[in-house]
Amino acid sequence: MPMKRVTLFAGHYGSGKTNLAVNFALDLHHKGYDVQIADLDIVNPYFRTKDSAEELAAAGIRLISPAYANSNVDLPALPQEVYGLVQNRSIYAIMDIGGDERGALALGRYRPYILEENDFEMVFVVNFYRPLTRTAEEAIEVMREIEAAGGIPFTAIVNNSNIGEETTADDVRATFAETERLSQLTGLPVLFTGVKAELAAAFEGESILPLRLQKKMIN
């Protein structure tokens, strides 16, 4: 599948979308892409992408996030630089969208630019071990809420099912069938499966993205 210029990660709380967004940005950078990443989560006062600011900076990846990210000031505002991210077609943009439909509302202001260019991947990150997305049908309900709020349709799925640090390869494999059901019901392809880096060897030859940065797989 050809690489899209803008990749947006969205999903319910606890799906691990932030972890995936950061690792996806690093993976693209290592492959030679000029990458920038933006945190659009104005619902959660803790902007988790900011937690990886040092790792991203060390890799030469620009992070755009609210000035008060990870402070005790909850200001639901986004920097003007995000407009440049979606308008500058010479860079590859990664966007971490806030959990559920409330978080997706922030995406609406950038929708016209993203849809006009039409070079985007809107990725639904699903964790089938979370209470509100235990089945494909429940996941679809969350998907539709996010789409309605953000105004951009999902184009792909990522299976990031985990139970935190206790996750085993068997735990991940146990969700493959439900991921396939979600794909069949929505008609969307599964891009890859996210797993902890130490489990990567168990999935040799399969489409996975190891998670290396944040031990707590949340957001």
Side-chain angles (χ1 to χ4, degrees), residues 8 40 42 78 82-83 86 95 97-98 101-115 122 146-152:
L8 308 100
L40 299 190
I42 63 172
L78 293 166
V82 179
Y83 284 101
V86 296
M95 305 179 79
I97 313 303
E101 73 278 10
R102 292 181 300 157
L105 286 172
L107 181 60
R109 69 190 71 175
Y110 311 109
R111 179 179 63 244
Y113 307 101
I114 295 172
L115 294 181
M122 178 71 167
I146 294 174
E147 287 179 329
I152 297 180

Side-chain angles (χ1 to χ4, degrees), residues 172-173 176 192-193 200 202-209:
V172 178
R173 291 188 187 281
F176 282 2
F192 55 81
T193 298
F203 297 90
E204 186 175 356
E206 299 183 45
S207 180
I208 65 166
L209 178 67

Side-chain angles (χ1 to χ4, degrees), residues 7 9 16-31 37 94 123 125 157-162 172 176 190-201 203-214 217:
T7 304
F9 289 92
K17 62 181 180 58
T18 294
N19 211 331
L20 281 170
V22 169
N23 280 272
F24 191 71
L26 287 168
D27 186 61
L28 291 184
H29 173 75
H30 293 154
K31 292 177 179 177
I37 184 170
I94 310 299
V123 181
V125 181
I157 298 164
V158 164
N159 178 14
N160 193 45
S161 298
N162 69 86
V172 178
F176 282 2
V190 179
L191 289 187
F192 55 81
T193 298
V195 300
K196 296 189 298 181
E198 54 266 37
L199 296 180
F203 297 90
E204 186 175 356
E206 299 183 45
S207 180
I208 65 166
L209 178 67
L211 304 177
R212 301 182 177 88
L213 294 179
Q214 299 168 201
M217 295 184 184

Side-chain angles (χ1 to χ4, degrees), residues 127-142:
N127 181 351
F128 284 112
Y129 289 110
R130 298 299 295 173
L132 297 181
T133 54
R134 293 193 182 279
T135 67
E137 288 78 9
E138 290 179 346
I140 290 173
E141 183 175 346
V142 173

Side-chain angles (χ1 to χ4, degrees), residues 26-78:
L26 287 168
D27 186 61
L28 291 184
H29 173 75
H30 293 154
K31 292 177 179 177
Y33 292 94
D34 183 6
V35 182
Q36 294 185 21
I37 184 170
D39 192 327
L40 299 190
D41 194 340
I42 63 172
V43 174
N44 188 344
Y46 298 96
F47 293 83
R48 299 294 300 189
T49 306
K50 190 74 172 179
D51 291 348
S52 299
E54 292 184 4
E55 290 87 348
L56 291 167
I61 299 174
R62 184 187 182 199
L63 167 63
I64 301 173
S65 65
Y68 296 109
N70 276 3
S71 74
N72 59 359
V73 179
D74 184 10
L75 181 65
L78 293 166

